[in-house]
Amino acid sequence: MPAIAQHIQQINDTLPAGVRLVAVSKTHPASCVQEAYEAGQHIFGESRPQEFAQKAALLPSGIEWHFIGHLQTNKVKQVVGLARLIHAVDSERLLLEIEKEAAKRALHVACLLQVHIATEEAKFGFSPDELQHLFAQNFFIHTPHVQLAGLMGMATNTGDHQQVRCEFRGLKQLFDRIKQTYFAGETPFCELSMGMSGDYRIAIDEGSTLIRIGTAIFGQR
Ligand SMILES: *Cc1c(COP(=O)(O)O)cnc(C)c1O
């Protein structure tokens, strides 16, 4: 079996029900995506708008594309309408820009709010306090075309598994709290995107529903 298909199968064999695999194809050519698609993988993640648009145009329409990277407000137009889910919405400005574009096209755009859970400073995202504040002040009344589908986070890039576990656990607790408080009885707020090649097993243990895996499928970038 070709390597890509084999890697996908190995990951899928260990996935519990309710966890979906996003194959992160950024920097890899369309031919690799095609190979993975033919092996049965249907959800792919891209993180650069231009590369995303170019690849999507070449590939089967049966692919469910997710935009997983940091999205600049001036690139929103390239992503809305193409991505089924935007994983890393990390500012009020971006929310308002997605709202504007979605309203213009009469679409509802499913988004995850990115929460900063790592100790590294460079990573994007709302702090847990900022996020709770957004909900408490009813910010989302201004974004009716943004369909809030859950939360996303990236753990610190460290070999300290206990720390990674703590960060994922904290995100899951925040997710549960927000879901109970603001989405009681509603199903759309149901996704928790956490876990990459190096830490997805821990993320699954801690309640992830979407794992984003590049290197372990396609090899080094
Ligand atoms: C690149 C990327 C991934 C995949 O990382 P791997 O370590 O290659 O599995 C996951 N999430 C985001 C946001 C990424 O940018």
Side-chain angles (χ1 to χ4, degrees):
M1 197 191 285
I4 289 176
Q6 204 176 337
H7 295 153
I8 288 171
Q9 190 180 5
Q10 278 164 1
I11 295 166
N12 277 327
D13 282 348
T14 67
L15 289 194
V19 182
R20 293 187 297 156
L21 169 62
V22 180
V24 176
S25 49
K26 66 185 184 204
T27 77
H28 297 288
S31 58
C32 289
V33 179
Q34 183 72 38
E35 192 177 327
Y37 182 73
E38 282 164 16
Q41 177 62 30
H42 282 220
I43 309 177
F44 291 87
E46 286 284 334
S47 64
R48 296 180 189 111
Q50 195 177 351
E51 179 187 346
F52 172 32
Q54 284 168 351
K55 259 185 223 168
L58 295 172
L59 284 156
S61 59
I63 290 181
E64 177 177 324
W65 292 104
H66 292 191
F67 192 84
I68 61 164
H70 174 64
L71 180 56
Q72 293 172 278
T73 50
N74 62 349
K75 301 285 169 65
V76 164
K77 283 187 183 63
Q78 288 173 258
V79 169
V80 165
L82 208 49
R84 176 83 67 87
L85 182 64
I86 301 177
H87 280 236
V89 177
D90 59 1
S91 70
E92 293 184 22
R93 247 184 94 213
L94 180 56
L95 278 162
L96 293 172
E97 195 62 34
I98 294 170
E99 169 60 29
K100 200 169 97 187
E101 192 59 30
K104 204 190 290 175
R105 303 191 198 192
L107 290 173
H108 286 87
V109 179
C111 294
L112 307 179
L113 300 168
Q114 183 176 7
V115 185
H116 180 105
I117 56 171
T119 52
E120 293 135 332
E121 276 187 18
K123 296 206 169 141
F124 295 102
F126 295 102
S127 72
D129 281 350
E130 279 170 339
L131 197 69
Q132 304 211 69
H133 188 64
L134 277 189
F135 279 101
Q137 70 178 24
N138 218 354
F139 175 83
F140 299 103
I141 203 150
H142 304 298
T143 58
H145 296 83
V146 172
Q147 189 220 313
L148 294 179
L151 302 181
M152 176 268 200
M154 292 166 85
T156 303
N157 185 10
T158 170
D160 182 345
H161 290 183
Q162 207 44 48
Q163 181 180 349
V164 170
R165 188 175 289 283
C166 267
E167 290 172 358
F168 285 149
R169 189 167 294 180
L171 182 58
K172 166 71 165 145
Q173 285 166 353
L174 180 66
F175 171 81
D176 286 342
R177 213 167 327 134
I178 288 175
K179 188 172 172 65
Q180 277 163 19
T181 312
Y182 300 102
F183 296 91
E186 289 179 47
T187 45
F189 194 87
C190 59
E191 301 290 0
L192 187 53
S193 169
M194 57 185 197
M196 306 173 28
S197 292
D199 57 18
Y200 73 89
R201 288 174 202 286
I202 303 174
I204 290 170
D205 273 357
E206 298 302 329
S208 175
T209 68
L210 284 170
I211 53 172
R212 310 176 310 272
I213 300 192
T215 309
I217 295 173
F218 297 107
Q220 292 292 336
R221 286 182 292 274

Short mmCIF file of all heavy atoms in Angstrom, two decimals, residues 53-98:
data_model
loop_
_atom_site.label_atom_id
_atom_site.label_comp_id
_atom_site.label_asym_id
_atom_site.label_seq_id
_atom_site.Cartn_x
_atom_site.Cartn_y
_atom_site.Cartn_z
N ALA A 53 -6.89 28.05 -2.48
CA ALA A 53 -7.77 28.28 -3.63
C ALA A 53 -7.25 27.56 -4.88
O ALA A 53 -8.02 26.95 -5.62
CB ALA A 53 -7.89 29.78 -3.90
N GLN A 54 -5.93 27.61 -5.05
CA GLN A 54 -5.34 26.96 -6.23
C GLN A 54 -5.55 25.45 -6.19
O GLN A 54 -5.91 24.83 -7.18
CB GLN A 54 -3.85 27.28 -6.33
CG GLN A 54 -3.60 28.70 -6.83
CD GLN A 54 -2.15 29.14 -6.66
OE1 GLN A 54 -1.35 28.46 -6.03
NE2 GLN A 54 -1.82 30.29 -7.22
N LYS A 55 -5.31 24.87 -5.01
CA LYS A 55 -5.46 23.41 -4.90
C LYS A 55 -6.91 22.99 -5.02
O LYS A 55 -7.22 22.01 -5.70
CB LYS A 55 -4.92 22.96 -3.55
CG LYS A 55 -3.56 22.37 -3.62
CD LYS A 55 -3.20 21.84 -2.25
CE LYS A 55 -1.77 22.23 -1.97
NZ LYS A 55 -1.44 22.02 -0.56
N ALA A 56 -7.79 23.73 -4.35
CA ALA A 56 -9.21 23.35 -4.36
C ALA A 56 -9.74 23.31 -5.78
O ALA A 56 -10.56 22.45 -6.13
CB ALA A 56 -10.02 24.31 -3.49
N ALA A 57 -9.25 24.22 -6.63
CA ALA A 57 -9.73 24.29 -8.02
C ALA A 57 -9.32 23.04 -8.81
O ALA A 57 -9.97 22.68 -9.78
CB ALA A 57 -9.19 25.55 -8.69
N LEU A 58 -8.24 22.39 -8.39
CA LEU A 58 -7.72 21.23 -9.13
C LEU A 58 -8.30 19.90 -8.65
O LEU A 58 -8.13 18.88 -9.29
CB LEU A 58 -6.19 21.14 -8.93
CG LEU A 58 -5.33 22.24 -9.50
CD1 LEU A 58 -3.89 22.06 -9.03
CD2 LEU A 58 -5.39 22.20 -11.02
N LEU A 59 -8.94 19.93 -7.49
CA LEU A 59 -9.25 18.66 -6.82
C LEU A 59 -10.75 18.37 -6.79
O LEU A 59 -11.57 19.25 -7.03
CB LEU A 59 -8.64 18.70 -5.41
CG LEU A 59 -7.12 18.49 -5.45
CD1 LEU A 59 -6.43 19.07 -4.25
CD2 LEU A 59 -6.80 16.99 -5.61
N PRO A 60 -11.14 17.13 -6.50
CA PRO A 60 -12.55 16.73 -6.55
C PRO A 60 -13.44 17.59 -5.65
O PRO A 60 -13.03 17.97 -4.55
CB PRO A 60 -12.54 15.28 -6.05
CG PRO A 60 -11.15 14.80 -6.25
CD PRO A 60 -10.26 16.00 -6.12
N SER A 61 -14.65 17.85 -6.12
CA SER A 61 -15.57 18.68 -5.34
C SER A 61 -16.10 17.92 -4.12
O SER A 61 -16.70 18.51 -3.23
CB SER A 61 -16.74 19.13 -6.22
OG SER A 61 -17.39 17.99 -6.73
N GLY A 62 -15.86 16.63 -4.06
CA GLY A 62 -16.29 15.85 -2.89
C GLY A 62 -15.44 16.11 -1.65
O GLY A 62 -15.78 15.67 -0.56
N ILE A 63 -14.34 16.84 -1.81
CA ILE A 63 -13.49 17.13 -0.65
C ILE A 63 -14.14 18.16 0.25
O ILE A 63 -14.71 19.14 -0.21
CB ILE A 63 -12.10 17.64 -1.12
CG1 ILE A 63 -11.33 16.49 -1.77
CG2 ILE A 63 -11.31 18.24 0.04
CD1 ILE A 63 -9.93 16.87 -2.26
N GLU A 64 -14.08 17.90 1.55
CA GLU A 64 -14.52 18.90 2.54
C GLU A 64 -13.27 19.64 3.02
O GLU A 64 -12.43 19.08 3.71
CB GLU A 64 -15.22 18.18 3.71
CG GLU A 64 -15.63 19.12 4.82
CD GLU A 64 -16.39 18.41 5.94
OE1 GLU A 64 -17.18 17.47 5.67
OE2 GLU A 64 -16.18 18.80 7.11
N TRP A 65 -13.17 20.92 2.63
CA TRP A 65 -11.99 21.71 2.98
C TRP A 65 -12.19 22.46 4.29
O TRP A 65 -13.25 23.07 4.50
CB TRP A 65 -11.69 22.74 1.89
CG TRP A 65 -11.25 22.16 0.59
CD1 TRP A 65 -11.98 22.02 -0.55
CD2 TRP A 65 -9.94 21.64 0.28
NE1 TRP A 65 -11.21 21.44 -1.54
CE2 TRP A 65 -9.96 21.20 -1.06
CE3 TRP A 65 -8.75 21.51 1.01
CZ2 TRP A 65 -8.84 20.64 -1.69
CZ3 TRP A 65 -7.64 20.95 0.40
CH2 TRP A 65 -7.69 20.52 -0.94
N HIS A 66 -11.19 22.42 5.12
CA HIS A 66 -11.17 23.24 6.33
C HIS A 66 -10.01 24.23 6.23
O HIS A 66 -8.93 23.85 5.79
CB HIS A 66 -10.98 22.39 7.58
CG HIS A 66 -12.16 21.50 7.89
ND1 HIS A 66 -12.27 20.82 9.08
CD2 HIS A 66 -13.27 21.19 7.18
CE1 HIS A 66 -13.40 20.13 9.09
NE2 HIS A 66 -14.04 20.33 7.94
N PHE A 67 -10.24 25.45 6.64
CA PHE A 67 -9.14 26.41 6.72
C PHE A 67 -8.65 26.41 8.16
O PHE A 67 -9.41 26.75 9.08
CB PHE A 67 -9.56 27.81 6.27
CG PHE A 67 -8.37 28.70 6.08
CD1 PHE A 67 -7.65 28.67 4.89
CD2 PHE A 67 -7.92 29.51 7.10
CE1 PHE A 67 -6.51 29.44 4.71
CE2 PHE A 67 -6.78 30.29 6.94
CZ PHE A 67 -6.08 30.26 5.74
N ILE A 68 -7.38 26.03 8.37
CA ILE A 68 -6.93 25.80 9.75
C ILE A 68 -5.95 26.85 10.26
O ILE A 68 -5.67 26.90 11.44
CB ILE A 68 -6.27 24.41 9.89
CG1 ILE A 68 -5.03 24.32 8.98
CG2 ILE A 68 -7.27 23.30 9.56
CD1 ILE A 68 -4.12 23.16 9.35
N GLY A 69 -5.41 27.69 9.36
CA GLY A 69 -4.34 28.59 9.78
C GLY A 69 -4.85 29.94 10.25
O GLY A 69 -6.04 30.21 10.26
N HIS A 70 -3.90 30.78 10.62
CA HIS A 70 -4.24 32.17 10.96
C HIS A 70 -4.76 32.85 9.70
O HIS A 70 -4.13 32.78 8.66
CB HIS A 70 -2.98 32.88 11.48
CG HIS A 70 -3.20 34.33 11.71
ND1 HIS A 70 -4.08 34.80 12.65
CD2 HIS A 70 -2.67 35.41 11.10
CE1 HIS A 70 -4.07 36.12 12.61
NE2 HIS A 70 -3.23 36.52 11.68
N LEU A 71 -5.91 33.49 9.81
CA LEU A 71 -6.53 34.12 8.64
C LEU A 71 -6.48 35.64 8.80
O LEU A 71 -7.01 36.20 9.77
CB LEU A 71 -7.98 33.63 8.52
CG LEU A 71 -8.81 34.17 7.34
CD1 LEU A 71 -8.15 33.90 6.00
CD2 LEU A 71 -10.22 33.57 7.37
N GLN A 72 -5.83 36.28 7.83
CA GLN A 72 -5.79 37.75 7.85
C GLN A 72 -7.11 38.28 7.31
O GLN A 72 -7.70 37.69 6.40
CB GLN A 72 -4.64 38.24 6.96
CG GLN A 72 -3.27 37.89 7.52
CD GLN A 72 -2.20 38.23 6.51
OE1 GLN A 72 -1.94 37.47 5.58
NE2 GLN A 72 -1.60 39.39 6.67
N THR A 73 -7.53 39.43 7.84
CA THR A 73 -8.85 39.95 7.45
C THR A 73 -8.92 40.22 5.95
O THR A 73 -9.97 40.03 5.35
CB THR A 73 -9.19 41.24 8.24
OG1 THR A 73 -8.10 42.14 8.15
CG2 THR A 73 -9.48 40.93 9.69
N ASN A 74 -7.81 40.63 5.34
CA ASN A 74 -7.86 40.93 3.91
C ASN A 74 -7.87 39.68 3.02
O ASN A 74 -7.94 39.78 1.81
CB ASN A 74 -6.71 41.87 3.50
CG ASN A 74 -5.34 41.23 3.73
OD1 ASN A 74 -5.24 40.19 4.38
ND2 ASN A 74 -4.31 41.83 3.20
N LYS A 75 -7.82 38.49 3.66
CA LYS A 75 -7.87 37.23 2.89
C LYS A 75 -9.20 36.50 3.09
O LYS A 75 -9.40 35.41 2.54
CB LYS A 75 -6.72 36.31 3.32
CG LYS A 75 -5.34 36.91 3.13
CD LYS A 75 -4.94 36.89 1.66
CE LYS A 75 -3.69 37.72 1.38
NZ LYS A 75 -2.49 37.18 2.03
N VAL A 76 -10.08 37.10 3.86
CA VAL A 76 -11.34 36.42 4.20
C VAL A 76 -12.14 36.06 2.95
O VAL A 76 -12.71 34.97 2.84
CB VAL A 76 -12.17 37.30 5.17
CG1 VAL A 76 -13.62 36.85 5.25
CG2 VAL A 76 -11.54 37.27 6.56
N LYS A 77 -12.15 36.97 1.99
CA LYS A 77 -12.91 36.74 0.74
C LYS A 77 -12.50 35.46 0.03
O LYS A 77 -13.31 34.82 -0.62
CB LYS A 77 -12.64 37.90 -0.24
CG LYS A 77 -13.38 39.17 0.06
CD LYS A 77 -13.16 40.16 -1.09
CE LYS A 77 -13.82 41.49 -0.82
NZ LYS A 77 -13.25 42.17 0.37
N GLN A 78 -11.19 35.13 0.12
CA GLN A 78 -10.69 33.95 -0.59
C GLN A 78 -11.11 32.64 0.09
O GLN A 78 -11.04 31.59 -0.52
CB GLN A 78 -9.15 33.99 -0.66
CG GLN A 78 -8.63 35.05 -1.60
CD GLN A 78 -7.12 35.19 -1.51
OE1 GLN A 78 -6.59 36.11 -0.89
NE2 GLN A 78 -6.40 34.24 -2.10
N VAL A 79 -11.51 32.74 1.33
CA VAL A 79 -11.75 31.53 2.11
C VAL A 79 -13.24 31.25 2.32
O VAL A 79 -13.69 30.10 2.27
CB VAL A 79 -11.00 31.64 3.47
CG1 VAL A 79 -11.41 30.53 4.41
CG2 VAL A 79 -9.49 31.62 3.23
N VAL A 80 -14.01 32.33 2.54
CA VAL A 80 -15.46 32.16 2.75
C VAL A 80 -16.08 31.57 1.48
O VAL A 80 -15.80 32.02 0.38
CB VAL A 80 -16.11 33.52 3.11
CG1 VAL A 80 -17.63 33.46 2.97
CG2 VAL A 80 -15.74 33.91 4.53
N GLY A 81 -16.90 30.57 1.64
CA GLY A 81 -17.52 29.94 0.48
C GLY A 81 -16.77 28.71 0.01
O GLY A 81 -17.34 27.84 -0.63
N LEU A 82 -15.48 28.64 0.35
CA LEU A 82 -14.66 27.50 -0.06
C LEU A 82 -14.44 26.54 1.12
O LEU A 82 -14.43 25.33 0.95
CB LEU A 82 -13.31 28.03 -0.57
CG LEU A 82 -12.54 27.22 -1.60
CD1 LEU A 82 -13.42 26.80 -2.76
CD2 LEU A 82 -11.36 28.04 -2.10
N ALA A 83 -14.25 27.10 2.30
CA ALA A 83 -14.00 26.27 3.48
C ALA A 83 -15.32 25.93 4.17
O ALA A 83 -16.12 26.81 4.43
CB ALA A 83 -13.09 27.00 4.46
N ARG A 84 -15.50 24.67 4.48
CA ARG A 84 -16.68 24.24 5.23
C ARG A 84 -16.57 24.68 6.68
O ARG A 84 -17.57 24.91 7.36
CB ARG A 84 -16.80 22.72 5.13
CG ARG A 84 -17.94 22.10 5.92
CD ARG A 84 -19.26 22.15 5.18
NE ARG A 84 -19.22 21.30 4.01
CZ ARG A 84 -19.51 19.99 4.02
NH1 ARG A 84 -19.89 19.40 5.14
NH2 ARG A 84 -19.43 19.28 2.92
N LEU A 85 -15.33 24.76 7.18
CA LEU A 85 -15.12 25.16 8.57
C LEU A 85 -13.84 25.98 8.65
O LEU A 85 -12.81 25.58 8.10
CB LEU A 85 -15.01 23.90 9.46
CG LEU A 85 -14.83 24.12 10.96
CD1 LEU A 85 -16.05 24.81 11.57
CD2 LEU A 85 -14.58 22.79 11.68
N ILE A 86 -13.91 27.12 9.34
CA ILE A 86 -12.72 27.93 9.61
C ILE A 86 -12.32 27.67 11.07
O ILE A 86 -13.09 27.94 11.98
CB ILE A 86 -13.00 29.43 9.35
CG1 ILE A 86 -13.44 29.64 7.89
CG2 ILE A 86 -11.77 30.27 9.68
CD1 ILE A 86 -13.81 31.09 7.54
N HIS A 87 -11.12 27.11 11.26
CA HIS A 87 -10.74 26.62 12.59
C HIS A 87 -10.20 27.67 13.54
O HIS A 87 -10.20 27.45 14.74
CB HIS A 87 -9.64 25.55 12.47
CG HIS A 87 -10.10 24.19 12.09
ND1 HIS A 87 -9.83 23.08 12.83
CD2 HIS A 87 -10.82 23.76 11.03
CE1 HIS A 87 -10.35 22.01 12.23
NE2 HIS A 87 -10.95 22.39 11.13
N ALA A 88 -9.60 28.72 13.01
CA ALA A 88 -8.75 29.52 13.89
C ALA A 88 -9.17 30.99 13.92
O ALA A 88 -8.37 31.89 13.67
CB ALA A 88 -7.29 29.38 13.48
N VAL A 89 -10.42 31.25 14.25
CA VAL A 89 -10.90 32.63 14.32
C VAL A 89 -10.43 33.21 15.65
O VAL A 89 -10.77 32.70 16.72
CB VAL A 89 -12.43 32.69 14.17
CG1 VAL A 89 -12.92 34.11 14.31
CG2 VAL A 89 -12.84 32.10 12.83
N ASP A 90 -9.59 34.25 15.57
CA ASP A 90 -8.83 34.65 16.75
C ASP A 90 -8.95 36.12 17.13
O ASP A 90 -8.19 36.61 17.94
CB ASP A 90 -7.35 34.29 16.54
CG ASP A 90 -6.76 34.97 15.31
OD1 ASP A 90 -7.48 35.73 14.64
OD2 ASP A 90 -5.57 34.73 15.02
N SER A 91 -9.90 36.85 16.51
CA SER A 91 -10.06 38.25 16.92
C SER A 91 -11.47 38.74 16.58
O SER A 91 -12.14 38.17 15.70
CB SER A 91 -9.04 39.15 16.22
OG SER A 91 -9.34 39.26 14.84
N GLU A 92 -11.89 39.79 17.25
CA GLU A 92 -13.19 40.40 16.96
C GLU A 92 -13.19 40.95 15.54
O GLU A 92 -14.20 40.86 14.83
CB GLU A 92 -13.47 41.53 17.95
CG GLU A 92 -13.67 41.04 19.37
CD GLU A 92 -14.04 42.16 20.33
OE1 GLU A 92 -14.56 43.21 19.89
OE2 GLU A 92 -13.80 41.97 21.54
N ARG A 93 -12.09 41.52 15.15
CA ARG A 93 -11.99 42.08 13.79
C ARG A 93 -12.23 41.02 12.73
O ARG A 93 -12.92 41.25 11.74
CB ARG A 93 -10.58 42.66 13.58
CG ARG A 93 -10.53 44.16 13.45
CD ARG A 93 -9.12 44.60 13.14
NE ARG A 93 -8.91 44.73 11.71
CZ ARG A 93 -7.76 44.48 11.11
NH1 ARG A 93 -6.71 44.06 11.80
NH2 ARG A 93 -7.65 44.63 9.81
N LEU A 94 -11.63 39.87 12.94
CA LEU A 94 -11.80 38.78 11.98
C LEU A 94 -13.25 38.29 11.98
O LEU A 94 -13.83 38.04 10.91
CB LEU A 94 -10.83 37.64 12.31
CG LEU A 94 -10.87 36.41 11.40
CD1 LEU A 94 -10.64 36.79 9.93
CD2 LEU A 94 -9.81 35.38 11.84
N LEU A 95 -13.84 38.19 13.14
CA LEU A 95 -15.26 37.79 13.22
C LEU A 95 -16.14 38.75 12.42
O LEU A 95 -17.02 38.32 11.67
CB LEU A 95 -15.72 37.77 14.68
CG LEU A 95 -15.37 36.51 15.48
CD1 LEU A 95 -15.46 36.79 16.98
CD2 LEU A 95 -16.27 35.35 15.09
N LEU A 96 -15.87 40.03 12.58
CA LEU A 96 -16.69 41.03 11.89
C LEU A 96 -16.47 40.99 10.38
O LEU A 96 -17.39 41.20 9.59
CB LEU A 96 -16.42 42.43 12.46
CG LEU A 96 -16.87 42.61 13.91
CD1 LEU A 96 -16.39 43.94 14.47
CD2 LEU A 96 -18.38 42.47 14.05
N GLU A 97 -15.25 40.70 9.98
CA GLU A 97 -14.94 40.61 8.55
C GLU A 97 -15.61 39.37 7.92
O GLU A 97 -16.16 39.45 6.81
CB GLU A 97 -13.42 40.56 8.37
CG GLU A 97 -12.93 40.82 6.98
CD GLU A 97 -13.29 42.20 6.44
OE1 GLU A 97 -13.33 43.16 7.24
OE2 GLU A 97 -13.54 42.30 5.22
N ILE A 98 -15.56 38.26 8.64
CA ILE A 98 -16.24 37.05 8.15
C ILE A 98 -17.74 37.31 8.07
O ILE A 98 -18.41 36.95 7.09
CB ILE A 98 -15.93 35.83 9.06
CG1 ILE A 98 -14.44 35.47 8.98
CG2 ILE A 98 -16.79 34.62 8.65
CD1 ILE A 98 -13.99 34.44 10.01
#
